[in-house]
Amino acid sequence: MWVGTFHGLCNRLLRAHYRDANLPQLFQILDTQDQIAAVKRVLKAMNVDEERFPARQVAFFISAAKEEGKRPRDIEVTDEFTRRGVDFYAAYDEQCQREGVVDFAELLLRSYELLKHSEPIRTHYQERFRHILIDEFQDTNALQYAWLKLLAGHGSHQTNCVFAVGDDDQSIYAFRGADVENMRLYEKQFKPVTVKLEQNYRSHGHILDSANYLIAHNVERLGKNLRTEAGYGEPVRIYEAASDGMESAWL
């Protein structure tokens, strides 16, 4: 078995096939601060005013594009910031390639491109991993879902078993690329047997009734109705604290 995060598994894949991925054998991984520092060097080399184009904002633009599976040539230019962002992205890519480093989003994108463009490697891993389990599926982004489909052999002669566990009502990471639409795509494209886990062992009835009432207003839910055998418990109270410290003290 291989067990890990998307980034961990992609790193392992790239280490094993670094030549095919056009990477040095001992490539280094940039963390968030390293990436921002690398972007700053790119902006300085291009004589860019960092007050107008902050490095953190540029790094976010690059990572967001990668998480959608896009290289600079794939980005539609609609405004001046996007045009400059594409230029920064291209220069950043060249610098990373020259220095033999990858950022977190690059691990995913480079791994996806490796599987997509190398049929022998793709076939090898499709045959090796006939059963795939993915947890917290509501937190996956567009590129992770595309990577998963390649590994599963979706659309080819052999489609592997993909067991996905997730809760669309807990999808709260859209700000960093998570797309709950992946759960609906999974149901539509893989046509799985769906099992809903509706009995709750953590909360009492009043809390679940309040949650069900609020969540029912969300649109395009897959739908479920939480229940418990723990009784109703205390009535729900709302307390608004002036600060996080005061909230923890009250609790």
Side-chain angles (χ1 to χ4, degrees):
M1 290 192 299
W2 281 19
V3 181
T5 63
F6 274 101
H7 294 94
L9 296 177
C10 288
N11 178 43
R12 183 170 178 175
L13 187 67
L14 293 175
R15 298 286 178 189
H17 304 281
Y18 64 91
R19 288 193 184 92
D20 298 282
N22 193 26
L23 288 170
Q25 183 175 8
L26 300 177
F27 66 84
Q28 300 296 309
I29 300 174
L30 303 178
D31 63 20
T32 302
Q33 293 306 314
D34 293 333
Q35 183 188 17
I36 293 173
V39 169
K40 285 184 176 181
R41 288 193 286 114
V42 168
L43 297 177
K44 184 177 181 179
M46 297 176 71
N47 295 317
V48 174
D49 181 4
E50 199 178 323
E51 289 192 4
R52 186 179 178 192
F53 296 98
R56 187 176 295 275
Q57 191 174 356
V58 173
F60 180 82
F61 173 89
I62 293 171
S63 294
K66 289 185 178 185
E67 287 169 357
E68 292 179 0
K70 294 179 180 179
R71 290 296 183 188
R73 62 181 178 274
D74 304 317
I75 299 173
E76 181 182 358
V77 176
T78 56
D79 53 49
E80 176 64 13
F81 180 82
T82 305
R83 186 185 70 78
R84 295 305 304 275
V86 169
D87 292 340
F88 302 150
Y89 182 3
Y92 171 80
D93 258 4
E94 291 176 5
Q95 176 178 282
C96 288
Q97 187 66 35
R98 189 168 60 248
E99 297 177 355
V101 298
V102 298
D103 55 41
F104 287 135
E106 183 69 20
L107 287 172
L108 281 163
L109 182 53
R110 190 74 65 109
S111 176
Y112 169 76
E113 292 171 341
L114 176 66
L115 290 175
K116 182 178 180 180
H117 298 303
S118 176
E119 184 176 356
I121 294 176
R122 181 173 68 250
T123 300
H124 168 77
Y125 286 103
Q126 286 172 351
E127 292 177 350
R128 177 171 180 174
F129 299 120
R130 292 300 178 92
H131 297 84
I132 301 170
L133 166 64
I134 175 171
D135 196 13
E136 302 291 1
F137 194 57
Q138 76 277 358
D139 295 335
T140 56
N141 61 36
L143 181 58
Q144 289 168 340
Y145 183 64
W147 183 90
L148 178 68
K149 286 173 65 178
L150 276 181
L151 190 62
H154 183 267
S156 63
H157 179 68
Q158 170 67 44
T159 299
N160 293 344
C161 175
V162 178
F163 189 108
V165 181
D167 182 357
D168 56 333
D169 291 327
Q170 293 188 48
S171 182
I172 61 173
Y173 293 111
F175 68 91
R176 67 181 191 201
D179 189 356
V180 71
E181 177 67 17
N182 288 347
M183 293 190 69
R184 287 184 281 273
L185 289 174
Y186 170 72
E187 281 205 321
K188 178 181 178 181
Q189 296 173 350
F190 283 88
K191 296 179 172 55
V193 174
T194 301
V195 178
K196 296 182 181 181
L197 304 179
E198 297 181 306
Q199 183 167 355
N200 185 290
Y201 299 91
R202 181 179 296 172
S203 303
H204 286 89
H206 283 309
I207 291 175
L208 295 184
D209 289 345
S210 300
N212 285 330
Y213 179 79
L214 290 171
I215 292 172
H217 294 280
N218 294 349
V219 295
E220 298 182 352
R221 292 176 64 225
L222 298 179
K224 61 182 176 299
N225 192 50
L226 299 180
R227 66 183 187 278
T228 182
E229 295 180 358
Y232 282 101
E234 296 182 32
V236 173
R237 289 177 289 166
I238 298 175
Y239 174 78
E240 183 177 0
S243 68
D244 54 355
M246 293 177 70
E247 178 181 327
S248 62
W250 179 81
L251 287 171

